[in-house]
Amino acid sequence: MPFLCRGAVVTLQSTLGGSVIAIAIALVVGLMATSRLRSVRGVARAYMEFFRGTSVLVQLFWLFYAMPILTGYQLDKVGAGILALGLNLGAYGSEVVRGAVQAVPPGQREAAVALNFTPYQRMRYVILPQAFVAMVPPMNNLLIELLKTTSLLSVITVTDLAYQGRLLVNSGSDQLVVFALMLVIYFLFSYLITLLMRYVEGRAARVVGRERPRRRRSAPAVEGAR
């Protein structure tokens, strides 16, 4: 367990770092994809298609092995892994953001225009709060996918959970026990992400007034009422 726990800490760090980068990129690129300027939309679309259309493993190799040859700058192996995860999952998340923003009913936009809101005010106070509620469930899936993708970081010798598990198996530990413990740890991390995102979704829904109304207790019958 000490070996697996050390690997689990590295996996958690990689997941948190990659999530921050992925969410930031998703918001920026997703909003760029909804721009009225064709050039801005083109840049966003090029980024989305490139990182969604290439393997995250190849991107990881490029960042850790090829970039030092081209630029002379060597990234830390954990930093390279976090950056690769963020760039790849950010491309998928940007499509989620774009779809959620465009799914806001046109009547909401027209109401904001009628209130003489500026484009920034429409996006900040009307469109994004409603779109955020729709973003959370698919973002939950992407963050869980990012967690599972951290197992690829072991190919550049990042000592994550998958790397430590393979070391234990190669050293003669019981494979069934090691893989069972790894399975439980990955599941617990995934479940924690789900709980957190459900809480965020509930708070966001209450902010925009989408909370399910509570059922009122029926008034007691009045005796003698006709």
Side-chain angles (χ1 to χ4, degrees), residues 117-130 208:
F117 281 9
T118 64
Y120 170 78
Q121 290 174 326
R122 292 198 295 269
M123 183 63 67
R124 168 66 177 80
Y125 297 108
V126 178
I127 298 174
L128 273 183
Q130 298 183 66
V208 298

Side-chain angles (χ1 to χ4, degrees), residues 101-121:
V101 169
Q102 293 183 342
V104 175
Q108 299 292 325
R109 304 172 188 268
E110 295 170 359
V113 173
L115 292 173
N116 201 27
F117 281 9
T118 64
Y120 170 78
Q121 290 174 326

Side-chain angles (χ1 to χ4, degrees), residues 1-74:
M1 282 304 297
F3 288 95
L4 292 180
C5 287
R6 285 198 292 270
V9 171
V10 176
T11 294
L12 184 60
Q13 292 173 344
S14 303
T15 302
L16 292 176
S19 299
V20 171
I21 295 176
I23 292 173
I25 291 177
L27 289 174
V28 173
V29 178
L31 293 178
M32 289 174 60
T34 63
S35 174
R36 295 182 178 180
L37 299 177
R38 181 177 297 179
S39 58
V40 176
R41 294 198 309 271
V43 172
R45 180 57 60 183
Y47 166 80
M48 293 160 63
E49 296 301 332
F50 176 80
F51 282 95
R52 288 192 306 170
T54 55
S55 169
V56 63
L57 186 60
V58 177
Q59 296 164 16
L60 182 61
F61 284 147
W62 266 92
L63 287 173
F64 188 67
Y65 293 114
M67 193 174 74
I69 300 175
L70 298 176
T71 64
Y73 180 74
Q74 176 69 61

